Amino acid sequence: GMTLLSTTTLSGTSTSISITATGYIKLLVFGYGLNASGSVDDTYIRFNSDSGTNYKFTRINGDNANNSGQSTKKVSTGIFINMNGVYGYASGGNISFYAEIYDPTNTAHYKNVLVNAVGDYSSGQNIQLVSGAYTANTAITSMQINATSTLSAGTIKIYGVK
């Protein structure tokens, strides 16, 4: 079954959430209502406050201008939930995402991360599917939601799955 581990309200450019994942094979993360007073340029997830290049991902996206199937492969300092470096979400952008993190306490291998994100940007909506990994061989004990703009709203719920 699923157990609610944390409910956190976002504020500022970075919110850190402690996670006790012992005994869980997967973490499910639901983020909804993310908003900023201005545009939200880059929004991304980090683990354990790790700002190194320990994040690998590929993504596809689609938008209302029929730009779909674009694929990007990145080595990064976080797993992005927007089209970083291309466009950000608009103010009031209805940003939401769902993430799965597999085997979060294992220290012998990478952690697989899947993300599905949606939000409004200046001329429409964007949907992204991200497949990636956190490549540090450490147990995940915290998660950070970071943005280049100040987040004024948003809720993160983290569940553990046994």
Side-chain angles (χ1 to χ4, degrees):
M2 290 183 9
T3 302
L4 179 63
L5 303 177
S6 175
T7 300
T8 304
T9 300
L10 300 177
S11 64
T13 57
S14 182
T15 299
S16 188
I17 305 163
S18 293
I19 301 170
T20 303
T22 303
Y24 297 102
I25 60 167
K26 178 168 58 172
L27 297 175
L28 301 179
V29 181
F30 298 91
Y32 54 91
L34 282 69
N35 198 356
S37 56
S39 65
V40 183
D41 295 325
D42 288 341
T43 310
Y44 54 97
I45 298 168
R46 280 188 179 153
F47 300 109
N48 302 339
S49 297
D50 182 351
S51 61
T53 55
N54 292 314
Y55 306 88
K56 315 287 190 263
F57 64 89
T58 188
R59 66 179 168 217
I60 58 172
N61 75 295
D63 63 29
N64 67 316
N66 293 320
N67 297 317
S68 61
Q70 298 171 359
S71 178
T72 307
K73 181 180 176 186
K74 300 223 24 132
V75 174
S76 184
T77 58
I79 296 194
F80 285 81
I81 60 172
N82 74 304
M83 284 295 294
N84 64 302
V86 179
Y87 52 77
Y89 293 121
S91 177
N94 300 314
I95 305 163
S96 63
F97 73 93
Y98 164 79
E100 297 183 32
I101 300 113
Y102 294 90
D103 207 5
T105 59
N106 195 306
T107 59
H109 59 73
Y110 299 164
K111 316 304 178 288
N112 291 333
V113 180
L114 300 174
V115 178
N116 182 339
V118 63
D120 294 333
Y121 65 101
S122 59
S123 60
Q125 295 80 36
N126 176 262
I127 297 170
Q128 291 204 83
L129 301 174
V130 180
S131 177
Y134 177 53
T135 61
N137 287 331
T138 59
I140 293 174
T141 59
S142 67
M143 172 186 217
Q144 292 73 42
I145 305 298
N146 299 294
T148 53
S149 301
T150 299
L151 294 174
S152 58
T155 301
I156 302 294
K157 290 191 175 198
I158 301 176
Y159 292 85
V161 178
K162 292 197 174 205

